[in-house]
Amino acid sequence: MSKVIAIVGPTASGKSSLSILAAKRLGGEIISADSMQVYQGMDIGTAKITEAEMEGIEHHLIDIQPLNEAWNVKLFQQMCRQKIEEIQARHHVPILCGGTGLYVKAALYDYAFEEEDPKEAKIMAEVSQWSNEQLFAYLQQEDPQALEKIHPNNRQRLLRAVVMAKSGKRKSDREANQKHEPIYDVYMIGLKDDRQIEIERIDQRVDQMFEQGLAE
């Protein structure tokens, strides 16, 4: 299988710095697995890496999507896998840096996304009127296994699971049919620092965002 490096970890844990160091030493190119840095214009609030900070290393899937156009994990999966092929064709090492855990898993593992069902839009319009409590209660009856991975306040995931259950394709059934095996030879690096240090770094980053004009 093709080799891919993935560097993951919480905000302000040093993922970008390590990915650049790895790219320099291994002849790599970096693919952002951040669900927000993909948008054009959202530079400050997403702590988007600057051209100077890239240190001459090629970065992909940053600043490519207009704010008024849809972006989701399925699109990311398609584009990320395409970038991996292109980077490997140049005999470079693809390095995923993220970010958003679901995006990393969707790109590197055997995640399959079904084609949109036209009736799902009608179902979504109906259940969007429900409260989180109603969504949760419905799933307790129809797909309790799905709730093991969904927080009661995560409305988007509750909605999606309810829509799937109502359309006859339960979330838990779909996940059970996936092997969750990597489709690449993945070397995963997880960064974790002392929580207090991470909080201080995040505070510093937020202060810097406001200095750069975030409130405007």
Side-chain angles (χ1 to χ4, degrees):
M1 288 192 289
S2 304
K3 294 185 181 297
V4 177
I5 295 173
I7 299 175
V8 299
T11 299
S13 59
K15 298 184 297 294
S16 295
S17 298
L18 181 58
S19 64
I20 289 171
L21 178 62
K24 286 181 176 180
R25 293 192 176 183
L26 301 174
E29 298 181 31
I30 297 169
I31 303 172
S32 170
D34 189 289
S35 62
M36 300 305 294
Q37 293 191 11
V38 66
Y39 288 110
Q40 298 169 353
M42 293 184 63
D43 298 350
I44 300 174
T46 62
K48 190 180 295 178
I49 189 169
T50 65
E51 187 172 349
E53 291 169 338
M54 292 179 184
E55 299 184 31
I57 299 298
E58 190 72 34
H59 282 64
H60 304 277
L61 303 190
I62 293 178
D63 224 22
I64 63 168
Q65 193 78 352
L67 278 170
N68 61 348
E69 292 187 11
W71 180 257
N72 54 47
V73 65
K74 183 178 179 181
L75 287 172
F76 171 80
Q77 182 191 64
Q78 295 169 348
M79 294 189 70
C80 182
R81 290 179 178 178
Q82 179 182 340
K83 290 298 180 184
I84 288 173
E85 289 185 12
E86 293 173 359
I87 292 169
Q88 290 173 335
R90 292 191 285 271
H91 303 289
H92 289 173
V93 179
I95 302 173
L96 258 70
C97 181
T100 306
L102 176 60
Y103 277 39
V104 174
K105 291 178 181 177
L108 302 181
Y109 289 75
D110 62 339
Y111 272 51
F113 296 97
E114 298 179 1
E115 295 299 321
E116 290 187 10
D117 188 333
K119 68 181 180 182
E120 288 188 358
K122 184 177 180 180
I123 297 172
M124 178 62 81
E126 172 196 344
V127 301
S128 292
Q129 307 302 316
W130 294 8
S131 67
N132 285 6
E133 291 75 15
Q134 289 173 305
L135 295 169
F136 192 88
Y138 180 86
L139 289 173
Q140 283 181 314
Q141 294 295 321
E142 301 297 332
D143 194 1
Q145 281 184 288
L147 289 176
E148 295 175 6
K149 299 180 181 179
I150 303 177
H151 190 280
N153 293 330
N154 191 327
R155 183 169 179 80
Q156 288 304 115
R157 295 191 68 189
L158 287 172
L159 280 168
R160 182 60 188 153
V162 168
V163 169
M164 292 178 70
K166 276 184 162 288
S167 63
K169 299 173 290 188
R170 297 196 316 169
K171 184 176 187 295
S172 59
D173 292 337
R174 189 189 72 177
E175 291 180 347
N177 291 329
Q178 294 181 345
K179 297 179 181 179
H180 298 283
E181 294 179 349
I183 61 173
Y184 303 100
D185 182 3
V186 179
Y187 186 75
M188 187 83 69
I189 301 172
L191 301 183
K192 190 177 188 305
D193 209 335
D194 180 88
R195 187 57 185 158
Q196 186 56 42
I197 294 175
E198 289 177 352
I199 291 172
E200 291 173 1
R201 287 177 182 162
I202 293 171
D203 286 343
Q204 291 172 359
R205 179 174 289 184
V206 172
D207 289 342
Q208 185 179 24
M209 288 178 184
F210 277 105
E211 290 173 2
Q212 293 172 341
L214 177 61
E216 299 173 6

